[in-house]
Amino acid sequence: DVKVTQSSRYLVKRTGEKVFLECVQDMDHENMFWYRQDPGLGLRLIYFSYDVKMKEKGDIPEGYSVSREKKERFSLILESASTNQTSMYLCASSLWSSSGSSYYEQYFGPGTRLTVT
Amino acid sequence: RKEVEQDPGPFNVPEGATVAFNCTYSNSASQSFFWYRQDCRKEPKLLMSVYSSGNEDGRFTAQLNRASQYISLLIRDSKLSDSATYLCVVNKHRGSTLGRLYFGRGTQLTVWP
């Protein structure tokens, strides 16, 4: 069974703290993604990675960085947490299609609800 | 302009009703189209893909109109368990962004007894 896990379901941090959100997938997927989801704004892509050590900015990368040292693990880092980063963070993974002709379903983790006070 | 636009609702319908959701996408180069479902406080999951000829999965029918850049989802004989947020999703194949999806903000559906 496909599985994407995230390190915490709920997290409370203080403004200015460095925050690490971890995501692990056990499906040998090449692509991994970090989104945040806010009421009325939907899912917004922060960063994604299509291979180890590779990363690409999504639509809202400011204030975030990522790390992918191993294929199964994709970390999201908030260098200095701010209150406007309070949100639900969702990780996802999918297979890679080199031909460009196929789509592979994205599988999501359960999410981490981060509160920055 | 957002890549994917959809009516946020909410849609409140009685059991047994038929309900339709619509969605438009901005990029004519978009290749693949989907509906995802997200239950309250849960992660999104793929509901169905949308094919050019239209496709059906039980009570669910998806339609695509490439000329109008329009996607729809029809749910017949609504069940209480259909209550969820439905996300319209588009995929563009372009170099290293293969696999990236563009999500609409979602349409909320509540089915009442």
Side-chain angles (χ1 to χ4, degrees):
Chain A
D1 196 18
V2 162
K3 199 149 188 189
V4 180
T5 56
Q6 296 184 227
S7 48
S8 307
R9 290 301 303 271
Y10 299 94
L11 208 53
V12 179
K13 295 292 182 181
R14 294 195 179 276
T15 301
E17 279 193 80
K18 191 168 186 175
V19 182
F20 293 86
L21 302 182
E22 300 282 334
C23 174
V24 178
Q25 50 93 3
D26 65 359
M27 299 162 284
D28 203 33
H29 284 173
E30 290 83 5
N31 294 332
M32 295 189 76
F33 308 83
W34 273 107
Y35 298 89
R36 63 176 283 178
Q37 187 172 34
D38 302 286
L41 296 178
L43 277 164
R44 292 182 291 169
L45 183 65
I46 304 171
Y47 268 97
F48 64 104
S49 168
Y50 53 91
D51 200 353
V52 174
K53 297 192 185 295
M54 305 301 287
K55 62 184 179 185
E56 287 210 16
K57 293 180 180 179
D59 297 323
I60 51 164
E62 297 80 18
Y64 303 94
S65 62
V66 290
S67 172
R68 191 154 181 215
E69 297 295 320
K70 293 185 178 181
K71 190 175 184 180
E72 68 271 18
R73 189 179 297 269
F74 192 34
S75 302
L76 180 70
I77 303 148
L78 287 66
E79 295 290 343
S80 177
S82 63
T83 54
N84 63 13
Q85 292 178 309
T86 291
S87 185
M88 170 67 83
Y89 289 87
L90 287 156
C91 175
S93 72
S94 71
L95 286 169
W96 164 264
S97 170
S98 58
S99 68
S101 62
S102 299
Y103 156 75
Y104 294 104
E105 177 182 352
Q106 280 191 18
Y107 295 87
F108 284 83
T112 296
R113 184 163 294 281
L114 172 68
T115 302
V116 182
T117 61
Chain B
R1 184 182 171 188
K2 278 190 69 68
E3 294 281 346
V4 182
E5 302 268 12
Q6 57 182 130
D7 182 348
F11 286 66
N12 298 301
V13 303
E15 270 188 296
T18 296
V19 61
F21 306 136
N22 303 315
C23 156
T24 57
Y25 60 95
S26 62
N27 193 316
S28 59
S30 297
Q31 298 291 321
S32 308
F33 310 91
F34 316 92
W35 286 98
Y36 274 64
R37 171 191 167 130
Q38 186 173 21
D39 293 320
C40 187
R41 300 186 188 281
K42 298 280 193 179
E43 70 273 21
K45 292 184 179 179
L46 177 66
L47 175 67
M48 61 194 298
S49 300
V50 186
Y51 302 117
S52 296
S53 55
N55 49 295
E56 200 172 290
D57 183 2
R59 298 180 293 107
F60 297 82
T61 300
Q63 296 277 355
L64 169 65
N65 183 324
R66 283 188 182 270
S68 302
Q69 295 178 207
Y70 173 94
I71 306 160
S72 66
L73 177 68
L74 183 78
I75 305 175
R76 291 183 301 279
D77 188 22
S78 298
K79 311 290 184 194
L80 296 176
S81 57
D82 293 335
S83 297
T85 297
Y86 291 83
L87 306 172
C88 179
V89 184
V90 169
N91 170 241
K92 294 185 295 188
H93 297 294
R94 185 179 69 214
S96 63
T97 63
L98 291 175
R100 175 175 174 173
L101 297 179
Y102 294 83
F103 288 81
R105 295 183 184 185
T107 299
Q108 186 180 339
L109 171 66
T110 300
V111 181
W112 44 273

